[in-house]
Each structure stands twice: as structure tokens, then as C-alpha cells.
Amino acid sequence: MPDMKRREFIVLLGGAAAWPLAARAQQPLSVIGFLSGRSPGEAAYAIKAFHQGLKDGGYVEGQNAAIEYRWAGGQYDQLPALAADLVRLQVAAIVATGGVVAGLAAKAATATIPIVFISGDDPVRLGLVASLNRPGGNATGSSFFVTVMEAKRLGLLRDLVPTATLIAVLLNPSYAGFEIRSRDVQDAANALGLKIHVLHASNEQAIHAAFTTLVRMRADALLVGADPFFNGRREQLVTLAAHYAIPAIYELREFVEAGGLMSYGTSITDAYRQIGLYTARIFKGEKPADLPVVQSTKFEFIINLKTAKALGIEVPPTLSARADEVIE
């Protein structure tokens, strides 16, 4: 083969070898619409877990996936418009987090785009899916039943402060299923023989007002209801509980890591990782209707002994022994 032809052949061969790479580079990215009732800063740890789930499923943002983020910042009434915006963009899937309200907004906005949600309430009762094992429709995700855990949290507060005559419960009236949750927590209190008073807060000013009220009422302890809005205000809640010297229990370990007294709940990072995996599976061709809703089975009880000491509370050894982790 003449030299020129040999060089042309080598160049041609090199170009052919590069074609698959070029083709891959030009393939359209799978676009995810990420809808959240939370704020990007305080939810960073959870987003990291979601990205890990995506990566475990073979998708990486900026490589073969793109993400359009829409944040409501605790203003749940903004979620329908944000969901509609993602539908207009014709994203390949909507990931709905930061409260079941995000899932409901996405479900109302589209019956065709796949939806992967995180729900702290019963997704069947709320109409997100037909059943847990066979969701049907265009939605699936991860669920943990908050009402069951609220009863457990009340019991833990009673064990820590057995002389308590009144326990305050902080709930967000703007959150989906508020009336059901109020009734359920009252039923749990009745079953435990506890007297509770439900306080409402859906913004920062109302949180301050709620603490002023519970101090005036001489509440002995506080249960902060499970709510993405409260999760995003954990620094404020922990600071106020310390200021007013009120023993409080929360949903997530992140509260205790921030200086809160106790938490009992599921691992939120596990839930975010799971919806990342489900999103990847949907991109690979699986249908939401056929993917069972994952029910969280990992629950954590965390105690901060340093905070207990600051409050002048002696944590019973039997209670410490039940904790999954004790922060000293």
C-alpha cells in the first residue's frame, strides 16, 4: 500500500474508532424535573443522596442526565405552578420531594410524565397510587408513614419526661393532610393517656409565636410534627427549644446533629437515594405502574446527651439503651 494511502487508511480508521464517542456525546441528555417543597441550601445533604442513587443506576448529572430544579422554599402553594412549568419543559421524569404536596402537585399537572415521589403520608389514601405493590398510573416512589411515628415520638417523650402533664405538638396547617394528622396525633395521645395541645405554624414568625404560647401554657415538652417546612427551619426550632429550655423530639437525625434533644424517624437520605435509583430504572425503560412503592424499614432513635445535660434532664438508662445512637 503506498504511503499516502496507508496514512489515509490510518486516519480513516482513527476517525471510525472515534465515531461511537462522538455519537455518545451528541446523544440528548435525560432531563429530570426536580420539584421540591424545600430550599436548596438546607436540602443539600438530601440532594447528594439523590445524586448517589442516580449514579448507582448509571446516570450522572452533566454527563448523561440534566436536572431542572424548582424549589418552593416551604411555600407549598407555589408547587402547582412549578410543576406546570416542568410539564411545559417536557422533562422525561418529575422527581417530587419535600413533602407529599409536591407529589400531589406533579400528579395534578400530568398523567403521562413519570413521577417519582417521597411521601411521609399514605400515598394510597392521598390518591397518588392505586396500591403500594401495583401503583398503576404514572407515579411511584418511597413512603414512610408519619402518623405511626408520631405516636412513637409521643411515647418517647413520655418516657423521657414521665411527669409531663401537657405536651405541645407543632403542626403546619398548610401541609397536605393536616386535618388527618391532627386527628391521628390526638388519637395517639389518648391511647397513651397524654394531654396535648396542637399549635400551628407555617412561617418563621408563627414558629416564634408558637413557642411563646407553649411557654405561657407551661407545656412540659414539645413534639415537632414531621414536615419538610420544619425540616428546613431546624436551626430555628432547635435554637428556640434551647432558649426556652423545652424538651423536644423531632423527625430527623439532622435536628439532633444541630443540637436538638431527640429524634425518631426514617433515614431521609435512604429515601432520596431510593428515588434516584427508581428514576434511573425508569430511564432504562421500566414503568412507574410496575415499580412498587418502597416502604422505609430503617428507623433511627437518636439522643443528644449534651443537650439533655444543658436542659437539666437525666436520661433514663433504659431509654439510652434503646437509642440507635447517643451523641455525647
Side-chain angles (χ1 to χ4, degrees):
M1 181 182 294
D3 288 345
M4 182 61 72
K5 289 186 178 296
R6 185 182 296 112
R7 286 197 297 271
E8 290 173 350
F9 176 77
I10 292 172
V11 171
L12 181 61
L13 181 60
W19 288 342
L21 293 174
R24 283 197 295 271
Q26 293 170 4
Q27 286 179 353
L29 300 178
S30 298
V31 181
I32 301 165
F34 193 97
L35 178 67
S36 179
R38 302 175 69 172
S39 300
E42 61 83 15
Y45 71 98
I47 302 306
K48 182 179 179 181
F50 170 71
H51 278 277
Q52 185 59 55
L54 269 182
K55 184 177 180 181
D56 292 344
Y59 287 85
V60 177
E61 185 180 12
Q63 294 184 18
N64 57 353
I67 305 179
E68 287 283 343
Y69 294 94
R70 298 293 184 273
W71 304 93
Q75 303 301 309
Y76 298 139
D77 58 350
Q78 296 181 12
L79 286 166
L82 295 174
D85 186 40
L86 291 174
V87 172
R88 281 193 296 271
L89 290 176
Q90 296 183 327
V91 295
I94 295 177
V95 173
T97 71
V100 68
V101 281
L104 292 170
K107 185 77 171 177
T110 177
T112 55
I113 297 175
I115 297 167
V116 186
F117 61 78
I118 290 180
S119 174
D121 295 273
D122 185 349
V124 177
R125 181 168 64 176
L126 292 173
L128 276 174
V129 295
S131 73
L132 297 176
N133 290 330
R134 300 285 294 181
N138 63 321
T140 187
S142 177
S143 178
F144 42 94
F145 296 107
V146 168
T147 51
V148 176
M149 291 188 285
E150 300 291 27
K152 179 71 173 180
R153 291 185 196 107
L154 277 175
L156 291 170
L157 270 181
R158 179 196 58 186
D159 293 343
L160 180 68
V161 191
T163 58
T165 57
L166 176 64
I167 293 177
V169 177
L170 186 63
L171 298 178
N172 181 359
S174 299
Y175 193 65
F178 164 75
E179 296 296 338
I180 295 174
R181 188 169 295 185
S182 296
R183 184 175 65 247
D184 287 345
V185 75
Q186 183 63 65
D187 290 344
N190 293 339
L192 292 168
L194 296 173
K195 181 181 179 182
I196 66 170
H197 183 84
V198 177
L199 299 170
H200 302 165
S202 56
N203 56 56
E204 292 186 17
Q205 293 74 24
I207 290 176
H208 277 280
F211 272 86
T212 301
T213 300
L214 70 87
V215 169
R216 186 175 67 249
M217 295 178 61
R218 299 184 181 276
D220 299 295
L222 169 67
L223 184 153
V224 176
D227 187 303
F229 169 71
F230 294 148
N231 297 343
R233 301 298 185 276
R234 55 186 176 275
E235 295 287 348
Q236 179 190 8
L237 288 160
V238 167
T239 299
L240 286 169
H243 176 75
Y244 290 109
I246 185 82
I249 189 167
Y250 310 90
E251 173 191 12
L252 303 176
R253 68 176 297 125
E254 284 76 17
F255 283 91
V256 183
E257 291 172 348
L261 177 60
M262 296 193 303
S263 69
Y264 178 80
T266 190
S267 170
I268 196 70
T269 53
D270 282 354
Y272 271 81
R273 179 180 174 276
Q274 179 60 54
I275 62 170
L277 282 168
Y278 260 20
T279 303
R281 289 176 65 176
I282 288 170
F283 282 162
K284 291 177 179 178
E286 295 189 64
K287 305 296 184 184
D290 301 325
L291 291 173
V293 175
V294 177
Q295 299 176 71
S296 295
T297 57
K298 180 181 178 182
F299 300 97
E300 305 172 316
F301 175 36
I302 317 293
I303 301 176
N304 190 321
L305 288 184
K306 182 179 178 181
T307 301
K309 183 177 180 180
L311 291 171
I313 295 175
E314 185 74 29
V315 178
T318 52
L319 192 61
S320 295
R322 290 159 57 189
D324 297 285
E325 183 177 343
V326 175
I327 299 175
E328 300 192 47

